[in-house]
Amino acid sequence: MVDQILKGERASSPEAIMRARFTALRFKDPQFLAATEKEEGTSIKKRAAGWAKTLGLEEKTLADAFTGLFGSDIEALQDPLSFEVVTADEDSVEFKIRCRNGKTLHEKSKFQQDRKWGYVYSGNSDFAEWS
C-alpha cells in the first residue's frame, strides 16, 4: 500500500497516507511530505524547504532560530525509528513516532480528502506532544 502511494496512487484512507508520510520521513523525502499536506497561504515549494530543514537536509538560518520554527524536539524527526498507529478513523490518525534520540512524538492529525493523493494532512492536529 505505501509503495503504491509513493509511486503516485491515491491513498484509500487517512491511515494509508500517514503510513506513506512516515516512510517519506524515514527516507527524507521533503517533496512528498510537502505535497501531501495543506497549509493555507504556503506553497508546496516553501513547505518542502521547511521539511528539508526539519530533516537536516538544509542548513537552518538565523531567521529560523529567531522565529522558533525549529526546536530541538522537532529535530528528532531527522532520525525516526518506528511508527505506531494508536487509532485511525475516516478523518484522523493518532500515532506515535519514536526517534533514535529517545524522543517520541504522539500526535492526532486531521486529514481531508484530496483529488490527487486520496487524502492529505489538513495542517491541523487535535494534539501533538513530545516525550
Side-chain angles (χ1 to χ4, degrees):
M1 153 179 72
V2 168
D3 188 48
Q4 293 169 331
I5 295 167
L6 291 172
K7 289 179 180 175
E9 289 191 30
R10 293 171 48 130
S12 61
S13 66
E15 181 179 347
I17 198 69
M18 189 59 227
R19 288 183 181 281
R21 285 176 57 81
F22 174 74
T23 300
L25 180 74
R26 183 108 189 228
F27 289 98
K28 299 184 183 290
D29 184 347
Q31 294 300 321
F32 183 84
L33 291 164
T36 57
E37 66 186 9
K38 298 287 183 194
E39 186 177 339
E40 292 300 318
T42 305
S43 69
I44 290 177
K45 182 178 179 179
K46 188 170 184 176
R47 289 194 310 268
W51 274 111
K53 289 176 183 179
T54 297
L55 297 172
L57 301 173
E58 289 184 14
E59 291 278 324
K60 294 180 182 83
T61 66
L62 189 56
D64 295 330
F66 284 123
T67 60
L69 294 176
F70 302 99
S72 60
D73 286 340
I74 197 89
E75 290 176 357
L77 293 177
Q78 292 177 12
D79 201 3
L81 290 177
S82 67
F83 175 74
E84 172 192 353
V85 172
V86 178
T87 62
D89 59 31
E90 67 278 349
D91 68 352
S92 65
V93 179
E94 181 180 350
F95 61 90
K96 293 181 180 181
I97 296 176
R98 289 177 180 78
C99 303
R100 188 167 307 282
N101 70 353
K103 299 258 184 188
T104 299
L105 172 62
H106 183 191
E107 184 170 334
K108 185 172 184 183
S109 295
K110 297 283 192 185
F111 292 81
Q112 62 189 49
Q113 288 189 331
D114 181 78
R115 213 173 333 157
K116 179 176 181 180
W117 295 104
Y119 288 87
V120 294
Y121 170 54
S122 69
N124 298 308
S125 297
D126 286 346
F127 62 84
E129 306 165 343
W130 285 94
S131 60

